[in-house]
Amino acid sequence: MDLPRTPSFRLDHRRALVTGAGRGIGLALAAALAEAGAEVTLVARTRDEIEQGARAIGAAGGRARAVTLDVTDLQAVRDYFAQQPAFHILVNNAGTNRPRAMWDVSEADYDAVMGLNLKSAYFVAQACARRMMAEGVQGSLVHVGSQMGHVGGPDRSLYCASKWALEGMSKAIALDLAPFGIRSNTLAPTFIETPMTRPFFEDPAFKASVLARIKLGRLGAVEDLMGSVLYLASDAGALVTGTSLVVDGGWTAE
């Protein structure tokens, strides 16, 4: 009897790019891709953290380089991708949040959150996909969304708007790109403890309210997302497109 073989989670001979890769989730996802064999480009606006991250990945036996790029500068994004060989994997991770009650949200808040979380994500994906299509490269686009792209939350009207929109964007992109063998999915985590979120958890009442909703009883860690991104990026997820992998400890189950 010939048994079926599990498709590989390895990413050897593939090129990956991760935005917002200087710390937290972005750095962890870059490290996961490199550990699986991909050559990873770490992108952020400031160079120090991504250089440190690239060196750490290299010291661990991976291949990585740091590229300073402001993904809100859409012309710079177009120019960068036009000058590079096609990537096989994009992790659209750069994002921000400005928690406010909806009556306190300013136009500047709206532009900052929607501009980075949605507009930049859209045009980074477009520039990456254009190169893949031009070179006949098949691969995977992974957009880092949130459980807040599936539910609502107090003081999160802007963030929810951006992440719900990202879900719709990814589904429609998946339909456009399927004929080219390019997949598009979102990775939607619960609250992950990172340098960006840690100050929120200094409020005991807020932390308690979050833990009450996460049915597994703990905050997420960046390591909880590393296997998920490999599944979406690799041959193991070859038939997965236009959907969301929700890593939320049960938050959205009720």
Side-chain angles (χ1 to χ4, degrees):
M1 178 184 294
D2 293 328
L3 292 175
R5 297 179 61 84
T6 303
S8 178
F9 284 80
R10 293 292 304 174
L11 299 171
D12 303 289
H13 312 299
R14 301 186 202 184
R15 302 177 67 250
L17 182 142
V18 182
T19 67
R23 64 173 81 178
I25 291 173
L27 179 58
L29 300 186
L33 297 173
E35 187 177 350
E39 178 187 336
V40 183
T41 298
L42 283 68
V43 168
R45 286 183 294 181
T46 54
R47 192 164 189 86
D48 287 350
E49 288 182 332
I50 52 174
E51 284 189 336
Q52 292 176 30
R55 285 196 296 270
I57 289 171
R63 294 178 297 156
R65 63 182 182 128
V67 171
T68 305
L69 178 65
D70 181 355
V71 295
T72 66
D73 183 341
L74 302 186
Q75 187 58 54
V77 167
R78 286 188 287 267
D79 291 344
Y80 175 76
F81 280 96
Q83 295 163 9
Q84 304 300 313
F87 291 92
H88 302 86
I89 301 156
L90 168 67
V91 178
N92 233 338
N93 171 69
T96 190
N97 188 12
R98 294 190 181 186
R100 305 269 195 282
M102 62 85 61
W103 52 85
D104 287 330
V105 170
S106 68
E107 188 174 353
D109 293 330
Y110 182 97
D111 289 342
V113 173
M114 299 298 284
L116 182 57
N117 292 7
L118 184 61
K119 184 176 182 179
S120 291
Y122 187 98
F123 286 103
V124 168
Q126 181 191 71
C128 183
R130 281 175 170 171
R131 289 300 295 164
M132 296 170 77
M133 293 162 63
E135 296 183 27
V137 169
Q138 299 184 356
S140 174
L141 312 181
V142 180
H143 316 282
V144 179
S146 169
Q147 67 184 14
M148 294 299 176
H150 296 263
V151 296
D155 298 335
R156 296 296 193 279
S157 60
L158 268 184
Y159 192 71
C160 287
S162 69
K163 296 303 186 180
W164 277 80
L166 195 73
E167 292 290 341
M169 180 195 88
S170 179
K171 287 180 182 296
I173 284 176
L175 299 179
D176 285 349
L177 296 180
F180 301 93
I182 302 170
R183 298 180 292 112
S184 176
N185 295 287
T186 62
L187 176 58
T190 189
F191 284 90
I192 304 294
E193 193 165 9
T194 68
M196 186 176 79
T197 63
R198 198 164 291 127
F200 300 146
F201 299 125
E202 293 173 0
D203 178 349
F206 176 75
K207 185 174 182 179
S209 71
V210 167
L211 290 175
R213 299 294 302 276
I214 300 176
K215 303 310 177 188
L216 291 181
R218 66 172 175 86
L219 298 175
V222 294
E223 291 83 357
D224 293 312
L225 305 178
M226 294 171 78
S228 300
V229 79
L230 292 185
Y231 172 66
L232 293 176
S234 70
D235 293 344
L239 197 61
V240 179
T241 195
T243 193
S244 183
L245 179 50
V246 183
V247 185
D248 70 346
W251 183 299
T252 62
E254 56 177 15

